[in-house]
Amino acid sequence: AQTIHQWPVAEIKAVGSPLSLGCTIKGKSSPNLYWYWQATGGTLQQLFYSITVGQVESVVQLNLSASRPKDDQFILSTEKLLLSHSGFYLCAWRDNNNQAPLFGEGTRLSVL
Amino acid sequence: QQQVRQSPQSLTVWEGETAILNCSYEDSTFDYFPWYHQFPGESPALLIAIRPVSNKKEDGRFTIFFNKREKKFSLHIADSQPGDSATYFCAASNYNVLYFGSGTKLTVEP
């Protein structure tokens, strides 16, 4: 069975500090991977997607970047956090047999 | 431009009633329409999904009705239970990008 793990579970960071969030999927080769962001009490907004290692497509610009250094790993980062980056960050994966992304447990980020 | 519109924002039904959540979309290239539910503090979980080749999809108490001509789809939750209380999101996909509605907070009163 496939498992998706996000780290860290939660972060409290200062405005202007760097950020790196990670996501790893096990039990699935060459998955499509996705990053989403959810403001507290809000809807989900897709940030990035990746079909293969080394290739990342941006969906919305929020002063964030993403990378896929390994087949099973997806990284979300920024060099300088803004207050507006606070929220719930969700990694998701999809296989070719199911078009609906399946979410990890998420990372809660508070920027102060 | 909001790609997927969802209503109502909140909905309260009594236990045993059918809850109806509605969504509409603009882009006719969307080819997959999932529904997720999200409990407080948790990540969204896939409930049920439909492709435009069908106008109805059932899974237990959950049914999607899809109207391609009007670009509308709805989720019906039959025999609602207090455990169904959650926020429900509809979504529309054109393969690698998924657009979510604004969510409906459903409360099922016992």
Side-chain angles (χ1 to χ4, degrees):
Chain A
Q2 298 83 11
T3 59
I4 183 167
H5 172 63
Q6 287 189 241
W7 74 91
V9 173
E11 278 265 48
I12 300 175
K13 303 280 282 188
V15 171
S17 63
L19 175 77
S20 181
L21 304 179
C23 170
T24 297
I25 180 164
K26 297 299 183 186
K28 176 66 183 176
S29 62
S30 303
N32 290 2
L33 295 175
Y34 308 87
W35 278 111
Y36 294 83
W37 172 76
Q38 184 178 33
T40 301
T43 189
L44 294 99
Q45 186 170 33
Q46 186 169 339
L47 303 175
F48 299 95
Y49 68 90
S50 173
I51 297 172
T52 190
V53 174
Q55 182 182 18
V56 176
E57 301 294 333
S58 173
V59 178
V60 295
Q61 292 294 329
L62 289 180
N63 293 306
L64 296 166
S65 60
S67 64
R68 188 163 177 181
K70 301 178 183 178
D71 185 55
D72 64 351
Q73 197 173 83
F74 205 16
I75 306 295
L76 184 70
S77 61
T78 183
E79 293 185 359
K80 190 176 288 188
L81 279 166
L82 307 173
L83 284 174
S84 58
H85 285 136
S86 291
F88 195 29
Y89 288 85
L90 293 149
C91 181
W93 74 278
R94 182 182 68 81
D95 67 24
N96 292 329
N97 295 322
N98 182 348
Q99 201 165 345
L102 304 175
F103 290 92
E105 294 183 352
T107 295
R108 294 203 178 275
L109 174 67
S110 295
V111 182
L112 305 176
Chain B
Q1 180 185 2
Q2 194 172 357
Q3 298 279 5
V4 181
R5 299 183 187 275
Q6 186 170 352
S7 64
Q9 185 175 356
S10 63
L11 176 65
T12 298
V13 300
W14 295 105
E15 183 175 356
E17 292 185 334
T18 296
I20 300 175
L21 291 64
N22 300 297
C23 285
S24 64
Y25 62 98
E26 295 294 327
D27 191 336
S28 57
T29 67
F30 289 149
D31 62 357
Y32 197 69
F33 300 86
W35 284 86
Y36 293 83
H37 63 174
Q38 185 177 30
F39 297 99
E42 298 184 7
S43 57
L46 177 67
L47 257 180
I48 187 172
I50 194 169
R51 297 182 188 276
V53 293
S54 304
N55 54 25
K56 183 180 177 181
K57 177 79 175 289
E58 287 182 86
D59 185 355
R61 297 187 294 110
F62 301 93
T63 302
I64 299 177
F65 291 94
F66 187 84
N67 186 323
K68 186 175 181 178
R69 183 179 60 85
E70 295 187 8
K71 296 182 182 176
K72 294 181 178 180
F73 58 111
S74 61
L75 176 69
H76 293 221
I77 306 173
D79 188 25
S80 295
Q81 301 297 310
D84 295 330
S85 297
T87 299
Y88 290 76
F89 292 98
C90 63
S93 169
N94 56 8
Y95 201 69
N96 272 310
V97 182
L98 189 62
Y99 298 94
F100 283 85
S102 54
T104 296
K105 185 175 182 180
L106 174 66
T107 302
V108 182
E109 296 285 1

